[in-house]
Amino acid sequence: MKIGIVCYPTFGGSGVLATELGKGLAEKGHQVHFITYSQPARLDFFSENLFYHEVSVSNYPLFDYAPYELALASKLVDVVRFEKLDILHVHYAIPHASAAFMAKQILATYGIHIPVVTTLHGTDITLVGKDLTYKPVVTFSINQSDGVTAVSEYLKQDTYKHFEITKDIRVIPNFVDMNRFKLKAKDHFKKAIAPNNERIVVHTSNFRKVKRTQDVIYVFEKIVKEVPAKLLMVGDGPERAYCEQLCRDLDICDNVRFLGKQDAVEEILSVADLFIMPSESESFGLAALEAMACKVPVITSNAGGLPELNVDGVTGFMDEVGDIASMAHHAIAILADDDKLNSFKENALSRAKEFDLSIILPIYEAYYQEILG
Ligand code: GMT
């Protein structure tokens, strides 16, 4: 198949997932065309089946707001016509699904029918999409898509609850490439971070409010009182400065390192003993799955789709959003006991295997065939 993929080319979960999907499809012999405003973060190598088409937006001085959606729709028309794509798969509804709808209408005037699959990722529904500023367009463009998928059952139900959706939404969970995300020998790195064999706790996110990154710091402060430990905060975003200040206020800076945005997350996860994701809302929690694939147990909130991933008391623990005391209690229970830690690690890995790329990729391929059929 010739597949066009539209996504946000950033470190966010939807962009990561879309890029990994494209890479996986290309490896299976499909021709994959990424259409985005910059090179996707994880698309940093050459493959004969992978193509990248940049959407550039005119910055004509009349525009206070440059019309990205129009530029994207025009690019989609161009790429579909000249690369003869079979299907367009857009990740994140806003504004990709509506741009795809517009492109589809324009292509129809050339006698070209291009099916569009929209994958809902989370904040495009749970936060931004519900905003009245966008809601009518989001509803319309979901309903106009030829196929709609959601990354968890929770997200599917939330979409039905808050939008008037006439389409069947198929749940296709997120996946992880376990050839990349696996435990790697990184002893020198471990030694540098934790010279006295302290436990290593990791958090990765975009440091937006919804991630409750300050909860990670509060939980860690309680952990470090009981168990010698180090915390690695990976990623960057608006909450980072507050987290750094909080570490100073709590006097735990010596035990916390902020690593900023990192490409090789799997290498950091390889030295981790525990991953913390206390999010306010999370449609799936791809970062937690990546941790589990590297044999790291997870302490998460029970928000959104997290219960579909984290098995409470088995792969880690789940607590109410904001329940710092319980998260710390559970974290200490895992970290303080070698045997317990090892069994949680094994469980995390075997659960992650259920979401391996090799299992989920064929589901997407079959779904494309169904839509094309
Ligand atoms: O979590 C974010 O803020 C990024 C966001 C995105 O769209 O990139 O992530 C969403 O999509 C991921 C991939 O499907 C999911 O794993 C995340 O749970 C979801 N985030 C939220 O629902 C908050």
Side-chain angles (χ1 to χ4, degrees), residues 308-322:
E308 294 170 52
L309 174 66
N310 186 10
V311 186
D312 194 30
V314 178
T315 55
F317 285 100
M318 266 189 307
D319 293 289
E320 294 293 328
V321 173

Side-chain angles (χ1 to χ4, degrees), residues 8 10-18 91-92 119-124 126-127 151 154-155 174 205-206 208 210-211 277 279-288 305-306:
Y8 282 105
T10 54
F11 281 88
S14 64
V16 167
L17 198 280
H91 292 260
Y92 209 87
T119 290
L120 309 173
H121 277 275
T123 47
D124 48 352
T126 54
L127 285 178
V151 299
Y154 159 80
L155 186 58
N174 282 338
S205 77
N206 51 24
R208 300 217 177 98
V210 68
K211 301 294 176 185
M277 178 179 265
S279 307
E280 180 91 40
S281 153
E282 203 68 64
S283 68
F284 181 87
L286 184 59
L306 285 169

Side-chain angles (χ1 to χ4, degrees), residues 202-205 207 232-236 259-262 265 268:
V202 172
H203 169 81
T204 70
S205 77
F207 284 66
L232 299 178
M233 297 288 278
V234 183
D236 214 331
L259 300 182
K261 287 179 186 164
Q262 295 283 332
V265 185
I268 298 164

